[in-house]
Amino acid sequence: MGMSIPQYLGQMDIRKGVVGLATGAGFIYLLYKAIRAGIKCQPPLYTASPICIARLAVERERHGRDSGELRRLLNSLEHKQDEYAKSMILHSITRCVYLLEAEASSCTTDDISLVGSMLDDKDNSVKIQALNTLKAFSGIRKFRLKIQVQAIRLLSYLAQKNDLLYDILNCQVHSNFLNLFQSTQPGSLLFEVLVFAERLSEGRNSPHYRAVRWHYNEQSLHEALFGDESRLADRLLALVIHPEEEVQIQACRVIVSLQCSQDVGVRPSSCRPSHSYFNSGE
């Protein structure tokens, strides 16, 4: 059975949130100018705040000392809260990160992990607020890599859903998207983007997906990875000799998946012919 309309709209909001997170602060090319960057919040529910964060920001600028508000909010997030309270707290944390940047910079990767754990919450509004908070934290350089692995992992999960696969593949990406597959990237990030590529390739191989002739825009993620002009094959071959074994193995898994897609005839007009991939003569 398919999802109900409210469930589908919830998934749409979460996907837009992931897209917004992935493009936030210019720290990653993933899904650049995608479906629509940004997160749909619910202002009537979350505009109220027990402390005026803007006033705290002014006072900090004037007196040069931490307000302690961001730490208080993060500590309160660790305690068991209902969905409404968690959403309110996350919304306030997001405002603090933007307005109290110096205090946000003193946070730790454990704080980022705590916010990231909210992505597993059963309530969609909590997930969306968590994505909004992570997007705010992504503006701080030291947290970008940590947040990238989380964003791509969530995209990999969404890519396994049949009703979201086309939307993800048709998202617009930056022309430098394949830089994510360069061997100079951290091994942990490379592994996650390779898993993401494999999940997308497997999705294209499924009977459900092959039953329809899909059309993609020229700047889509599909074209970047599987199109006629894609250089993914070159990047994958270079990663087969990567010093980290898990990256080597995952690169090989993507290569096998791509070859399988050609063997079963997944060759829409925008896909590369089989001789273009991994041909030893090229």
Side-chain angles (χ1 to χ4, degrees):
M1 295 290 291
M3 292 188 294
S4 67
I5 291 177
Q7 288 175 321
Y8 181 75
L9 291 176
Q11 289 288 359
M12 287 286 287
D13 280 349
I14 291 170
R15 186 176 70 248
K16 290 176 183 179
V18 177
V19 170
L21 170 61
T23 59
F27 79 99
I28 193 173
Y29 299 130
L30 186 62
L31 306 182
Y32 179 72
K33 289 184 179 177
I35 303 174
R36 273 189 83 166
I39 296 170
K40 284 191 174 180
C41 299
Q42 301 176 31
L45 291 178
Y46 308 123
T47 51
S49 179
I51 296 178
C52 179
I53 297 173
R55 176 173 58 81
L56 291 176
V58 172
E59 290 182 357
R60 190 191 190 287
E61 184 70 22
R62 182 179 302 163
H63 302 294
R65 61 174 180 267
D66 284 358
S67 68
E69 177 67 2
L70 181 54
R71 178 50 52 196
R72 184 190 70 80
L73 289 165
L74 287 165
N75 289 341
S76 67
L77 195 61
E78 292 183 321
H79 302 297
K80 190 172 183 180
Q81 308 277 1
D82 61 31
E83 281 71 22
Y84 177 80
K86 283 186 285 191
S87 294
M88 280 189 58
I89 292 168
L90 286 165
H91 180 72
S92 294
I93 290 173
T94 302
R95 295 178 65 193
C96 277
V97 173
Y98 283 126
L99 294 173
L100 302 171
E101 185 176 350
E103 293 184 34
S105 297
S106 67
C107 290
T108 67
T109 54
D110 286 341
D111 295 324
I112 301 300
S113 296
L114 173 63
V115 174
S117 69
M118 298 294 109
L119 295 174
D120 296 324
D121 195 274
K122 61 183 179 181
D123 186 79
N124 281 342
S125 66
V126 174
K127 292 180 181 180
I128 293 169
Q129 290 295 340
L131 286 166
N132 208 9
T133 305
L134 289 173
K135 183 178 178 182
F137 270 117
S138 73
I140 300 173
R141 182 176 297 276
K142 73 175 185 177
F143 296 135
R144 289 178 188 174
L145 177 60
K146 178 77 173 177
I147 293 172
Q148 285 174 357
V149 174
Q150 288 175 331
I152 297 174
R153 187 174 299 156
L154 186 54
L155 281 166
S156 295
Y157 166 74
L158 293 177
Q160 297 177 87
K161 296 181 176 294
N162 286 334
D163 52 352
L164 299 180
L165 180 59
Y166 173 74
D167 292 309
I168 293 174
L169 280 170
N170 202 40
C171 283
Q172 185 176 356
V173 296
H174 194 278
S175 58
N176 290 331
F177 173 78
L178 288 183
N179 285 352
L180 286 172
F181 293 84
Q182 285 184 335
S183 59
T184 53
Q185 297 284 5
S188 58
L189 179 60
L190 276 172
F191 177 78
E192 293 295 345
V193 296
L194 286 167
V195 169
F196 182 45
E198 183 189 14
R199 297 270 171 81
L200 292 174
S201 181
E202 287 177 343
R204 293 171 65 245
N205 292 347
S206 69
H208 171 87
Y209 202 76
R210 288 190 286 117
V212 178
R213 184 176 181 83
W214 304 98
H215 298 279
Y216 311 94
N217 69 66
E218 293 181 358
Q219 289 79 40
S220 67
L221 177 60
H222 179 277
E223 291 302 284
L225 293 176
F226 311 117
D228 291 336
E229 304 302 320
S230 176
R231 305 299 299 173
L232 178 61
D234 298 333
R235 302 296 170 88
L236 292 174
L237 291 173
L239 293 178
V240 169
I241 57 172
H242 191 274
E244 297 185 36
E245 185 177 9
E246 72 169 3
V247 174
Q248 294 179 18
I249 293 172
Q250 190 57 42
C252 290
R253 288 174 63 93
V254 179
I255 290 172
V256 170
S257 179
L258 289 172
Q259 191 59 54
C260 286
S261 70
Q262 293 162 357
D263 292 343
V264 297
V266 182
R267 287 198 293 265
S269 60
S270 58
C271 290
R272 303 181 72 177
S274 58
H275 66 77
S276 297
Y277 272 112
F278 317 116
N279 189 320
S280 60
E282 290 190 10

